[in-house]
Amino acid sequence: MHVIDLREFEEEFVIHFGGEPTRINAYTLASTLVSIADAAKAANALINPGYEVEIVVEALGSGSFKAKVRSIYNGLGNLFDKGDLKAIALSIIAAFIYQHTLAPDNEVNIIVNEDEVVIEQGETKVVVPREVHDCVNEVEKSEPFKRSINKAFESVEKDESIESLGITTRMEDETPAIKVPREKFPLITGIMETEENTRVVYEIAELSISRAILERTRRKWEFVWRGVKIAAPVLDHRFYDDFFAHRITIAPGDSLDVKLKIYQVRDTDTGIFMNKKYEVVEVRRHVPRLRQTTIEV
């Protein structure tokens, strides 16, 4: 099982810009780093009154272009003892990005312990220190924090050469521990428009058909998506037009390349948005199951 322990991100992490292997647009790099720094400052202002945090870039690397950032904390007027300091601003950013982009993908098992929250998702286990988890719930209410994370993802979304944005612990990591593919960027860039506890997101998805409802209705088809069974009505009338005109033939094991509308509700204990309901609003393509053929010689 792949384990991501967010304690490893407390003081520094490496940002992966997936795409062009040896270079990056200067504006994309600068605006993303500034936005990450602003998010850290906004989080720190909530959890460490009396301390300032400075985010510095320690190294740049290629492979997928990488930037290593570190947090440095300074007391204001020495009013507070260092024992009061929570040096977790970067861990909060990592946890927030994970919860808003990758956690909704599959069925999630959440274990809340006294010292940590464990999120089990398929073959991945994410360990979130309880202190970080509680602070993420606090920054959810911070407009400056959310606006800064939003701007970071807007910067990479505007740069079409960026295929993913990731966070990891070492420059040598070829694949980041947390990797957000480009199609997930809108889950962050639309966050300022999200209501408090609910949101609607759209994804391009390939759904394997388990049970088809071949009539114009809101009855739910059954699909398998990323190894998880889901149920959703197909609301694309053009798809039914093609089916009833015999331009499409549905068979067991076929797939649909679709635009999927996902209704999500925030779990009040963890802050993670959970998928609650699905609708297929557009069928982009019918994908017949690959069938073996016999070649006579």
Side-chain angles (χ1 to χ4, degrees), residues 2-297:
H2 177 49
V3 179
I4 303 172
D5 190 338
L6 293 189
R7 281 181 285 256
E8 298 178 357
F9 297 89
E10 289 182 351
E11 295 185 3
E12 64 183 31
F13 59 52
V14 177
I15 304 173
H16 277 232
F17 297 86
E20 187 71 26
T22 58
R23 62 183 182 183
I24 189 173
N25 180 280
Y27 180 80
T28 301
L29 175 63
S31 57
T32 303
L33 292 176
V34 168
S35 297
I36 292 293
D38 287 343
K41 288 178 180 294
N44 184 69
L46 288 175
I47 62 176
N48 290 314
Y51 285 95
E52 286 187 343
V53 63
E54 178 184 0
I55 303 299
V56 297
V57 179
E58 288 200 328
L60 298 175
S62 60
S64 286
F65 198 89
K66 304 164 191 170
K68 181 179 181 181
V69 298
R70 172 181 286 273
S71 56
I72 301 173
Y73 294 85
N74 298 299
L76 300 178
N78 296 319
L79 295 177
F80 295 86
D81 185 89
K82 286 189 176 180
D84 300 323
L85 177 65
K86 299 176 182 178
I88 56 175
L90 294 182
S91 288
I92 291 171
I93 292 173
F96 183 90
I97 291 173
Y98 174 80
Q99 290 181 12
H100 282 267
T101 58
L102 302 179
D105 272 357
N106 298 304
E107 292 183 348
V108 178
N109 181 36
I110 301 171
I111 305 168
V112 180
N113 299 319
E114 183 177 350
D115 298 326
E116 63 188 21
V117 175
V118 179
I119 304 169
E120 295 179 347
Q121 182 180 15
E123 293 300 315
T124 300
K125 180 168 74 173
V126 181
V127 180
V128 185
R130 188 59 185 265
E131 186 176 50
V132 172
H133 167 265
D134 293 343
C135 289
V136 169
N137 289 336
E138 286 298 311
V139 300
E140 290 276 7
K141 307 169 188 174
S142 168
E143 292 299 310
F145 177 86
K146 292 191 293 184
R147 190 178 302 112
S148 297
I149 297 293
N150 184 79
K151 286 182 178 179
F153 276 82
E154 280 185 343
S155 297
V156 291
E157 188 174 37
K158 290 176 182 176
D159 188 336
E160 295 184 357
S161 69
I162 303 297
E163 299 173 358
S164 64
L165 187 69
I167 300 173
T168 195
T169 55
R170 302 181 308 161
M171 273 287 191
E172 296 78 17
D173 293 343
E174 294 185 5
T175 301
I178 299 173
K179 182 179 179 180
V180 183
R182 185 175 187 85
E183 60 266 24
K184 296 287 188 181
F185 292 173
L187 296 178
I188 292 288
T189 56
I191 201 169
M192 297 304 294
E193 302 173 2
T194 301
E195 295 181 8
E196 184 175 355
N197 291 313
T198 63
R199 70 180 182 186
V200 173
V201 298
Y202 294 87
E203 285 203 34
I204 302 301
E206 184 166 322
L207 307 180
S208 299
I209 300 171
S210 177
R211 178 173 177 264
I213 306 296
L214 298 176
E215 58 184 66
R216 298 180 193 270
T217 178
R218 290 190 67 89
R219 290 176 60 196
K220 294 179 179 180
W221 295 44
E222 294 178 2
F223 301 101
V224 176
W225 181 40
R226 295 173 176 157
V228 178
K229 291 183 178 180
I230 67 170
V234 176
L235 306 180
D236 187 342
H237 291 293
R238 290 182 302 175
F239 167 74
Y240 287 109
D241 290 342
D242 288 342
F243 173 76
F244 290 119
H246 304 291
R247 289 188 289 269
I248 295 176
T249 301
I250 300 295
D254 288 0
S255 299
L256 298 179
D257 180 8
V258 307
K259 183 177 182 180
L260 188 64
K261 185 176 183 180
I262 307 171
Y263 296 83
Q264 298 181 332
V265 178
R266 188 202 306 271
D267 181 86
T268 55
D269 291 330
T270 65
I272 295 175
F273 278 94
M274 311 292 285
N275 296 350
K276 292 299 181 183
K277 188 173 71 171
Y278 306 88
E279 292 176 351
V280 174
V281 295
E282 179 186 351
V283 178
R284 292 152 42 96
R285 186 167 59 100
H286 167 243
V287 184
R289 178 174 62 90
L290 292 177
R291 294 171 174 82
Q292 292 184 343
T293 58
T294 300
I295 301 176
E296 296 183 0
V297 294

